[in-house]
């Protein structure tokens, strides 16, 4: 008995990790390898038909779609007791064909991705070449018609891997286009201009790129105007607190589409 168990463990360890996850759900079109220890006639490959069934010698038609490999093993083991004493059944998914993820939105090229192995949201994002120019803050992952993950900026740009999650068959990833890629510096600066937005850009960095404050500028009267959906924000910046007191909280991080308004002082 010990030899049998050791051999079973060896077989399991050699099975491909990508297709033997306990939570994978078998679907139509998947190719399976089914084996019953010590019964040559019950060692065979089979493909799940469009009706979700497979044919097993001695049992006939068996529903495989909708079950995990371990669930199918247990079910077959129970039914084969009529034919085999203490059957030890192994089900391995050889090829996955029914597991797909759909990517759409103007920020990326629309595509259908086959999940041939266990894949996370981050791994999928890493395969999309256009994603850096997309609006990840407004992107989301749909599952069964519901948003299960929103604001992918934290995951992909800020590196917060706690936001990652495994993808499931028929998930849909929506990634919109980032409409405005500029930050606008206006008012009492040497060269008012639009600057291409860069990740992590701070307000003082943008002001310096616009030539810095003019001698008429009120450095304690800087406002960052931001539109967040239907809401408008006005964020005050006290630059003198940053320069004199080292108050780094004044050097706020900008977002694409921000307007930095530097007002003139009244003498």
């Amino acid at each position: 008995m010990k030899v049998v168990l050791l051999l079973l463990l060896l077989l399991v360890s050699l099975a491909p990790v990508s297709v033997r996850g306990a939570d994978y759900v078998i679907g139509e079109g998947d190719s399976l390898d089914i084996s019953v220890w010590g019964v040559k006639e019950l060692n065979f490959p089979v493909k799940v038909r469009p009706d979700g069934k497979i044919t097993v010698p001695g049992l006939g038609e068996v529903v495989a779609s909708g079950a995990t490999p371990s669930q199918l093993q247990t079910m077959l083991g129970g039914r084969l007791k009529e034919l085999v004493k203490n059957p030890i059944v192994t089900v391995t998914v050889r090829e996955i064909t029914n597991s797909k993820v759909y990517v759409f939105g103007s920020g990326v090229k629309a595509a259908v991705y086959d999940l041939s192995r266990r894949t996370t949201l981050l791994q999928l994002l890493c395969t999309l070449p256009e994603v850096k120019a997309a609006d990840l803050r407004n992107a989301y992952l749909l599952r069964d018609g519901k948003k299960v993950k929103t604001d992918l900026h934290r995951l992909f740009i800020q590196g917060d891997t706690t936001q990652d999650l495994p993808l499931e068959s028929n998930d849909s990833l929506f990634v919109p286009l980032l409409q405005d890629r500029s930050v606008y510096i206006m008012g009492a600066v040497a060269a008012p201009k639009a600057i291409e937005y860069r990740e992590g850009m701070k307000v003082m960095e943008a002001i310096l790129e616009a030539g810095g404050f003019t001698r008429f500028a009120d450095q304690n009267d800087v406002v960052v105007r931001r539109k967040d959906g239907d809401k408008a924000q006005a964020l005050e910046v006290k630059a003198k607190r940053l320069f004199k007191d080292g108050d780094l909280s004044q050097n706020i991080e900008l977002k694409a589409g921000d307007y930095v308004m530097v007002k003139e002082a009244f003498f």
Side-chain angles (χ1 to χ4, degrees):
M1 189 62 182
K2 288 183 178 180
V3 174
V4 172
L5 290 174
L6 287 173
L7 287 172
L8 283 174
L9 288 172
L10 179 61
L11 288 172
V12 171
S13 66
L14 292 175
V17 174
S18 60
V19 294
R20 64 182 178 90
D23 57 351
Y24 176 72
V25 177
I26 296 168
E28 295 80 7
D30 286 348
S31 296
L32 312 176
D33 284 331
I34 297 178
S35 61
V36 180
W37 179 261
V39 185
K40 184 178 179 181
E41 295 76 14
L42 292 177
N43 294 342
F44 60 96
V46 65
K47 190 169 185 175
V48 183
R49 301 197 304 264
D51 61 1
K53 297 179 180 180
I54 59 174
T55 300
V56 179
L59 297 181
E61 293 186 344
V62 174
V63 176
S65 182
T68 64
S70 60
Q71 289 171 340
L72 184 57
Q73 286 175 184
T74 301
M75 187 268 288
L76 291 176
R79 293 188 58 180
L80 285 170
K81 286 181 180 179
E82 303 172 6
L83 304 175
V84 180
K85 184 178 180 180
N86 298 324
I88 300 174
V89 182
T90 301
V91 175
T92 304
V93 182
R94 177 195 294 256
E95 182 181 6
I96 296 173
T97 60
N98 79 305
S99 193
K100 300 180 185 299
V101 170
Y102 303 88
V103 179
F104 67 109
S106 55
V108 292
K109 183 179 179 181
V112 179
Y113 288 83
D114 291 317
L115 294 182
S116 58
R117 58 181 56 83
R118 187 176 179 84
T119 305
T120 70
L121 176 58
L122 177 59
Q123 290 171 331
L124 176 61
L125 289 172
C126 288
T127 68
L128 306 178
E130 313 93 340
V131 74
K132 286 186 177 180
D135 186 1
L136 290 175
R137 294 185 188 276
N138 291 305
Y140 54 81
L141 183 70
L142 282 172
R143 181 172 296 163
D144 297 325
K146 297 180 181 179
K147 294 181 182 180
V148 295
K149 180 64 63 177
T150 58
D151 189 0
L152 307 186
H153 183 273
R154 289 176 60 189
L155 170 63
F156 191 75
I157 301 299
Q158 296 180 343
D160 184 359
T161 55
T162 63
Q163 299 297 307
D164 200 10
L165 79 168
L167 295 172
E168 296 183 7
S169 181
N170 293 319
D171 279 354
S172 297
L173 177 63
F174 173 72
V175 185
L177 180 67
L178 189 60
Q179 296 295 335
D180 196 338
R181 292 288 299 172
S182 298
V183 170
Y184 302 90
I185 318 301
M186 306 175 71
V189 290
K193 63 193 298 187
I195 301 172
E196 184 178 355
Y197 172 74
R198 300 185 299 274
E199 188 64 35
M201 179 182 283
K202 300 290 184 70
V203 63
M204 290 308 305
E205 177 184 352
I207 289 173
L208 290 173
E209 286 196 37
F213 295 111
T214 67
R215 63 191 182 94
F216 303 108
D218 184 346
Q219 297 184 16
N220 267 351
D221 197 359
V222 178
V223 178
V224 177
R225 299 194 180 278
R226 176 177 298 165
K227 191 172 183 181
D228 188 3
D230 295 330
K231 297 180 180 179
Q233 293 179 289
L235 309 175
E236 294 185 352
V237 175
K238 307 292 186 182
K240 282 188 176 180
R241 292 185 187 177
L242 173 63
F243 298 141
K244 292 185 177 180
D245 304 328
D247 184 359
L248 297 178
S249 67
Q250 298 300 314
N251 196 17
I252 64 174
E253 187 170 322
L254 298 175
K255 294 183 179 181
D258 281 354
Y259 283 77
V260 179
M261 312 292 295
V262 180
K263 298 182 180 180
E264 292 188 348
F266 292 98
F267 298 96

